[in-house]
Amino acid sequence: MSVLSEVAVDIVAAADEARFRALMQTHHSLGAVPGMGEPVRYVAHHRGRWLALAVFSAPALKCGARDHWIGWDRGVQFGRFHLVTTNSRFLLLPGGERTLGSRVLSLCTRRLVRDWPARFGHDVLLAETFVAPELFRGTVDRAANWIEIGRTRGFARDRHGDSAHPRPKLVFLHPLCRGARARLGAADLDPRLRHGVPKMTLSAAQMRSLPEFFQHIDDPRRRQDRPPSLSAMRSLLIRVDPVQLDAALRAWHEAHGAADSALAIDGKTIRGAIDDDGKQAHVLGIIGHDTKAPWGQKKSA
């Protein structure tokens, strides 16, 4: 009982990282974790003796059970992976008490909410782990209040594609704060949870309204039920009627753009651009002074 109450968990010191990796490589069935992503390495100890090791790193890019539990779809998940971490390794060292597992795992998740922002500059809301049912039952995870939500498909991705011998794993999740599920699946991500340079400035409501304005644009695509690649999107934009696209964008801006106190107008002569009549092309653009929104663009000879 004294060990349980006195055990502590700390981030592995730089001087101990080689020892940590060697022990993980020797005693864990999967070996040490490659040095990639955002790993945090923990050691549980009692009076100087190492008892257990744990690694938390970047989450799985694809996990249907997790995504369904959160309510994620492809439209939002890629900007929120930084809010999820995977317990990629957990090891009770030989000679230690088996009953320590849930205690150590709980101490690790308590530290994560402080250590992750301090190390990587952003919060983490959810921890996940995957358990091979042919080897383990997830007893430690359940005892530490992790939630079993389903199984993976079990296919391993390699350079040749999915493996032919699937081995499904149990999926466990552990929310690291109240409301983690709702915050991860919200249509509009809390600005305080965003990380890195923003790539999209539109709100969810503005994005949902785009099809209404684009419905009158002729669609040159073939009908096929799969997401387009980047090259396919580029090819599509080349073939879209520019007059129809410009009209749709102007109508959308008029509906959603804030009032501008002034408009900035600028024109350019496109060097070397000659139309079928031998005339040089000119482009005129209009930008809102306050909103910085493009209100229109006109090309003429």
Side-chain angles (χ1 to χ4, degrees):
M1 186 66 180
S2 61
V3 174
L4 284 174
S5 61
E6 296 176 7
V7 66
V9 167
D10 291 305
I11 292 179
V12 177
D16 292 326
E17 286 187 358
R19 177 189 176 190
F20 182 96
R21 291 192 180 92
L23 288 170
M24 192 69 76
Q25 186 67 36
T26 300
H27 298 293
H28 199 285
S29 59
L30 298 177
V33 179
M36 59 188 297
E38 294 185 329
V40 175
R41 299 178 178 88
Y42 287 115
V43 57
H45 55 90
H46 177 253
R47 299 179 182 177
R49 178 191 172 196
W50 284 22
L51 302 174
L53 310 176
V55 181
F56 290 82
S57 54
L61 291 179
K62 292 185 178 181
C63 178
R66 175 203 63 198
D67 297 345
H68 179 74
W69 184 86
I70 295 174
W72 268 356
D73 58 34
R74 293 182 181 181
V76 301
Q77 65 182 160
F78 289 104
R80 305 182 184 189
F81 279 125
H82 65 284
L83 301 171
V84 181
T85 182
T86 295
N87 178 207
S88 48
R89 295 290 189 275
F90 185 75
L91 173 66
L92 293 173
L93 292 170
E97 298 181 30
R98 302 295 95 182
T99 55
L100 280 173
S102 60
R103 171 66 174 169
V104 171
L105 193 56
S106 295
L107 291 174
C108 287
T109 53
R110 290 177 193 173
R111 285 210 51 155
L112 266 177
V113 295
R114 304 190 310 270
D115 296 334
W116 203 269
R119 175 163 290 196
F120 303 118
H122 60 81
D123 290 336
V124 62
L125 305 183
L126 182 71
E128 65 184 13
T129 195
F130 304 94
V131 176
E134 67 272 16
L135 300 176
F136 306 100
R137 298 181 179 179
T139 304
V140 169
D141 303 282
R142 292 188 179 91
N145 295 319
W146 289 58
I147 308 166
E148 182 182 354
I149 61 163
R151 296 194 175 207
T152 66
R153 291 180 57 207
F155 290 97
R157 176 72 67 179
D158 56 27
R159 63 180 180 175
H160 302 295
D162 290 335
S163 67
H165 304 287
R167 294 183 178 179
K169 294 182 179 180
L170 305 177
V171 182
F172 287 85
L173 298 179
H174 185 72
L176 297 173
C177 67
R178 291 183 179 179
R181 185 179 189 178
R183 296 172 75 185
L184 283 166
D188 288 314
L189 184 65
D190 186 334
R192 294 170 296 181
L193 297 176
R194 296 172 186 169
H195 181 60
V197 178
K199 298 181 179 180
M200 177 62 70
T201 59
L202 302 183
S203 68
Q206 289 173 329
M207 293 182 67
R208 283 194 292 264
S209 72
L210 283 172
E212 176 186 347
F213 291 89
F214 284 8
Q215 63 181 335
H216 300 298
I217 299 177
D218 296 331
D219 190 347
R221 297 174 297 176
R222 291 177 299 173
R223 299 299 178 188
Q224 48 192 15
D225 187 20
R226 67 172 183 266
S229 63
L230 183 61
S231 59
M233 291 297 295
R234 181 178 182 275
S235 176
L236 169 64
L237 291 174
I238 291 174
R239 290 182 290 149
V240 165
D241 187 315
V243 175
Q244 293 179 343
L245 179 60
D246 182 64
L249 288 174
R250 283 190 287 107
W252 184 86
H253 282 305
E254 290 172 2
H256 291 282
D260 284 295
S261 59
L263 298 177
I265 302 175
D266 189 22
K268 300 290 184 184
T269 298
I270 305 177
R271 183 177 180 181
I274 307 298
D275 65 11
D276 295 338
D277 297 327
K279 297 181 180 180
Q280 196 167 16
H282 306 274
V283 175
L284 181 69
I286 305 173
I287 305 294
H289 180 75
D290 301 301
T291 65
K292 307 299 187 296
W295 288 90
Q297 182 170 285
K298 177 70 174 178
K299 183 171 72 173
S300 63

